[in-house]
Every structure is written in C-alpha cells, then in structure tokens.
Amino acid sequence: MDAGSHPISSEKSRVAAPRPPLQEAGSHPYMPSLSMGSRNPSAKCYGDRFIPDRSAMDMDMAHYLLTEPRKDKENAAGVAASPSKEAYRRLLAEKLLNNRTRILAFRNKPPEPENVSFAEAASSNLQAKAAKQRRHIPQSAERTLDAPELVDDYYLNLLDWGSNNVLSIALGDTVYLWDASSGSTSELVTVDEDSGPITSVSWAPDGRHIAVGLNSSDVQLWDTSSNRLLRTLRGVHEARVGSLAWNNSILTTGSMDGKIVNNDVRIRNHVVQTYEGHSQEVCGLKWSGSGQQLASGGNDNLLHIWDVSMASSMPSAGRNQWLHRLEDHMAAVKALAWCPFQSNLLATGGGGSDRCIKFWNTHTGACLNSVDTGSQVCALLWNKNERELLSSHGFTQNQLTLWKYPSMVKMAELTGHTSRVLFMAQVNSSHHILQILSHHFICWCENLLMVLVWLNCRVLMVAR
C-alpha cells in the first residue's frame, strides 16, 4: 500500500533469523562411586571414607592402645612411676609406635578429580555464563506505518492495541484500525469539527468494543465488529477527555477538568464513582492487574492511588478519598505502568522538568527508587517475560531505553529520533504476527508508528 494513498501504510516485514537455543557450558565435577566393588578389576575403588577398614588396622596396636589407659589407672592406685620409667615409656611410644593414637583406620580421601576440580568447574561455569552473548537489539526498522495528522500533544493518549490483535490509532478527527495479523487498515469513525479532534482511544478487554474520548468532553463507545456507535456518554466531564482505562465493564475517564469518573457501560445511569484529587488535567490512568487499584497522573505533578475498597457505595456522594497522594514528581505524570510480576509495584515517569522514572510500593505509598533519565518520560512498558522496563522519551534526547529491573542498568538505548516518542502500547492478545512473534511493542514518533517486537528474547523495532 502506498503511504500517500492512505493514512496508514506498511512496508514488507523483515523477520530476523531465530536465535539458537542457549547451551550450558563447563564440565561436571568428578564424583566417586559409592559401591565397594567394581565390574572393572583395574578400576580403583575408594569406598566410603567414614567406615573403618579392618584390613588396614593393626590389631596389636589397637589392643595396646585400648589396654594402656587401664594399666595406667592400675599403676596410679599403687606406687607412682618413677621419672625414668615415664621417660622410657614416652621414648618407646615415640620410636616404636610412631606416636600413633588412633585405633580405627580409614581409607584415604578420594583423590582430586582427574580432569578438573569442583572449584575449577564452578569457575568455568561462571565464566561461561558471563561470556554468554547478550541478545541482539537491532537498530533497523521491522515495519513502518505512516501516520499523518497525529496530534503532537503530550497529555493525550492516541494509541492502543486490543486483545484481538488490532491497533487503534487516532489521527486528527479519525480513528483508524490496523489489523496486525493481515496488515489491513480500516476507518472506524470520523467525528465532526465541533467534537474533534479525538483525544484518547482505549480498547475494552473483549477486543471488540472501543472507547473514543473527544475534545468536546464526550466519550463514544463503538462496536468494531459492525462499525456501529453503541452509545455516547455526555455530561460526564466539562472539558476534553484525554485519558481512558478499562476495568472489566467499568470505563474510567480522565479529563482536563481534573475529574476521574467510573462509568458502568452496562447501565443507563453509567456514572458510579467520581474521584476528585487533581487540580489540572488528568493525563494518565492505569488500573492494576487485579483491578483493585487505580493510578492517576496529572498535569499538577501529582500521582494518586485509588483503591476500590475505599470507593463510596453511594454514587450521590460524588467523591472518593485517595489511598495515596504522592507529590515527588516535579512535572506532569503521564507515564504509568503496573508491574506484571509484582502486584503492588508501580512505575511512573515525569515530564520535562522532572525526567525521572520512579518506582512505588502502592500498599505503603513508599518510593522505592528514582532514576533520572535525562529526558522527558512519555510512556512506560514492562516486559511480561523478563524483569525489564521500556521507556520512551521526549525532550531533549527523544530516545527509547530498555532498562534491567531492579538494577536499572541500561540494556539498550535507541536514539536518532527527530521528535519525541509520545505514545506506546503493548499487544495483549495470544495471536502472533506471522505466527512467530510473541510480544509486540509500539510507539509513536512524530508522524511515524514504531513497532518494537520481542522475538525469542530479541527486540525488533520499527523506526524512522
């Protein structure tokens, strides 16, 4: 498809050759046999060094050593031995008995391994692991999609990947759908100028329905299987809706008016809870994997943690109290990512005046770590298979960085973008592009879509 003939176009995929499986290096240490006999007469038998060997014992010496203390006691009851006799006894023990005092005789310890010692083998294994080649992270593009009219606004969320392996992209007043399995593109909706531009998109967990936030403060719900508008949520907010998050059938919306609203899309009176804690635009919303906690970030530099257990059972009350109000960031908090392997771990990123990635224990509200990235943090994604975090950045370096957690050592840094990488999304489906891809990462850079693909622990990316 020609890039000029459609807002979204695709180049031919280039799939890297699969990496050979890892191989363990190093030899195993020699371990002697526990059996006393051997089928091979020439083979050495070392036996068990903790069992006495009768054939190696001097029975006369053993008898002498056993009876000598008794004789000493008997002599002690009588007349004490003279100094000359005592000196003679010691000299006799030294010359004839060689000062032997042990009664039982044992086999010698097994010899050292004939090829390599245990310590050397362990050292060899460690060196082999250290020398193991790190996975290759290509710098070239795997696939590039043209995306004209992408709104360059840090506070919006214009990209999402559904569980049906379809990517939703908001370009100006239009939402496009790109099927990652077939590479086909379709137009879902184009809103009028009074409602647009589109300010946020978010797939429902079923991968069929999608929520579209508008500049007019309305939110539309669409059925993508039939391209049909199901309903429009009006009167929920008083300004544009720049952030959306699903929790089963609950659609949470965040607006420039500072309010966060839980909408149960199954019922007529959809507003069920309202969270008020931000004084400026809510630009980040993420539910935890358990659906028990909601993280919200705003342009007021605040991060809030809301807990379902603290939600008011009376919608008329209108407000709910936050669990934690965190003020450590020095700029807008848009990038939010719940850890997939630790339920109470949240990663957050700050804007241009902050540039930090912070990690939080959401049960206690404690800040576990803070890393200065040197650039505006636009989005964060956890690797679901490894303890790694991917961050995208804006001013001043416009880079992508792959971090090892919890050491936060940079595993890779991809630079060269001319504009900030505003949005990222991660595929949630079990489908595989070309039936070989396991995990997909995508992000926007200027008017180009960048796709990062985890393939057998390799990262392929779509770059400019």
Side-chain angles (χ1 to χ4, degrees):
M1 185 183 299
D2 184 18
S5 63
H6 202 282
I8 304 175
S9 64
S10 173
E11 291 181 356
K12 185 177 180 180
S13 303
R14 298 185 299 279
V15 181
R19 184 177 58 179
L22 300 177
Q23 299 179 355
E24 292 293 336
S27 302
H28 295 289
Y30 171 79
M31 294 297 292
S33 172
L34 296 181
S35 63
M36 296 300 296
S38 175
R39 295 182 180 179
N40 184 3
S42 63
K44 296 180 180 179
C45 178
Y46 300 100
D48 193 323
R49 61 179 179 271
F50 299 109
I51 300 177
D53 186 2
R54 186 180 182 86
S55 62
M57 294 171 55
D58 187 339
M59 303 307 294
D60 293 336
M61 175 61 64
H63 179 267
Y64 171 78
L65 293 175
L66 287 171
T67 57
E68 183 183 23
R70 184 185 306 168
K71 293 178 179 179
D72 290 343
K73 292 180 180 179
E74 292 174 355
N75 293 334
V79 181
S82 65
S84 59
K85 289 185 178 181
E86 183 65 23
Y88 174 77
R89 188 187 66 80
R90 288 199 302 268
L91 182 61
L92 182 64
E94 179 180 352
K95 297 299 182 180
L96 298 181
L97 306 180
N98 294 323
N99 287 324
R100 286 183 289 176
T101 58
R102 299 187 64 177
I103 297 175
L104 301 178
F106 298 83
R107 292 276 189 177
N108 293 331
K109 292 184 178 180
E112 294 295 326
E114 297 177 0
N115 48 3
V116 62
S117 68
F118 178 81
E120 291 174 348
S123 176
S124 175
N125 286 333
L126 291 176
Q127 292 176 0
K129 291 180 180 180
K132 190 183 298 180
Q133 184 179 4
R134 298 178 64 183
R135 73 169 184 266
H136 177 58
I137 302 179
Q139 302 290 319
S140 58
E142 173 66 19
R143 178 171 297 179
T144 302
L145 305 179
D146 188 22
E149 299 184 29
L150 179 69
V151 179
D152 185 12
D153 193 324
Y154 177 82
Y155 305 103
L156 305 185
N157 294 274
L158 305 178
L159 184 69
D160 197 20
W161 205 321
S163 59
N164 60 351
N165 208 21
V166 175
L167 178 71
S168 60
I169 310 165
L171 303 177
D173 297 332
T174 305
V175 175
Y176 293 93
L177 304 179
W178 179 70
D179 191 323
S181 300
S182 63
S184 62
T185 303
S186 61
E187 179 181 326
L188 177 65
V189 57
T190 298
V191 300
D192 54 48
E193 294 182 358
D194 294 336
S195 299
I198 295 168
T199 52
S200 56
V201 293
S202 181
W203 283 99
D206 60 9
R208 174 182 175 183
H209 300 91
I210 189 171
V212 179
L214 304 177
N215 190 60
S216 63
S217 77
D218 293 342
V219 178
Q220 295 182 351
L221 297 178
W222 285 81
D223 184 342
T224 59
S225 62
S226 59
N227 278 30
R228 182 168 59 95
L229 176 63
L230 299 179
R231 67 185 301 184
T232 300
L233 308 181
R234 294 188 174 91
V236 178
H237 295 286
E238 300 174 359
R240 70 180 186 181
V241 180
S243 53
L244 301 168
W246 287 90
N247 187 7
N248 295 321
S249 59
I250 300 297
L251 173 63
T252 304
T253 57
S255 171
M256 185 180 280
D257 61 14
K259 291 194 301 183
I260 302 170
V261 178
N262 283 346
N263 302 271
D264 190 336
V265 298
R266 301 169 297 180
I267 59 179
R268 183 179 184 86
N269 298 322
H270 49 82
V271 177
V272 291
Q273 280 101 25
T274 300
Y275 304 119
E276 294 191 19
H278 292 281
S279 59
Q280 297 187 42
E281 181 169 14
V282 179
C283 51
L285 283 177
K286 283 292 173 64
W287 281 98
S288 64
S290 64
Q292 295 300 306
Q293 290 186 332
L294 172 69
S296 66
N299 194 28
D300 51 9
N301 308 345
L302 295 178
L303 169 66
H304 286 97
I305 306 298
W306 313 86
D307 197 283
V308 170
S309 62
M310 299 178 64
S312 173
S313 59
M314 299 177 58
S316 59
R319 298 185 180 183
N320 291 283
Q321 182 63 33
W322 57 76
L323 177 63
H324 300 295
R325 180 185 179 96
L326 307 170
E327 305 177 3
D328 294 38
H329 282 290
M330 304 303 293
V333 184
K334 177 195 176 186
L336 305 171
W338 289 93
C339 180
F341 53 82
Q342 186 173 337
S343 61
N344 63 327
L345 177 60
L346 174 70
T348 62
S353 299
D354 182 78
R355 305 180 302 275
C356 290
I357 297 176
K358 297 183 184 295
F359 298 91
W360 308 88
N361 182 329
T362 60
H363 289 174
T364 64
C367 182
L368 305 177
N369 192 14
S370 181
V371 178
D372 190 342
T373 67
S375 298
Q376 178 187 47
V377 183
C378 300
L380 295 171
L381 286 175
W382 287 95
N383 182 353
K384 294 181 178 179
N385 291 340
E386 301 288 342
R387 292 177 179 259
E388 297 170 352
L389 182 70
L390 179 69
S391 60
S392 70
H393 301 271
F395 310 122
T396 57
Q397 300 180 38
N398 307 319
Q399 82 274 26
L400 287 165
T401 304
L402 183 63
W403 308 85
K404 187 68 176 178
Y405 184 83
S407 65
M408 292 306 287
V409 173
K410 291 183 181 180
M411 300 185 63
E413 190 167 67
L414 310 177
T415 59
H417 301 292
T418 59
S419 183
R420 52 188 179 169
V421 186
L422 288 176
F423 318 115
M424 290 200 298
Q426 183 176 6
V427 71
N428 297 313
S429 72
S430 58
H431 301 283
H432 304 286
I433 297 179
L434 303 180
Q435 298 182 347
I436 59 174
L437 306 183
S438 57
H439 290 279
H440 317 267
F441 291 100
I442 61 175
C443 59
W444 286 101
C445 176
E446 201 173 359
N447 64 336
L448 294 175
L449 176 65
M450 297 177 25
V451 181
L452 301 182
V453 183
W454 293 89
L455 171 57
N456 296 334
C457 293
R458 292 188 174 192
V459 177
L460 307 180
M461 81 166 184
V462 170
R464 184 170 179 172

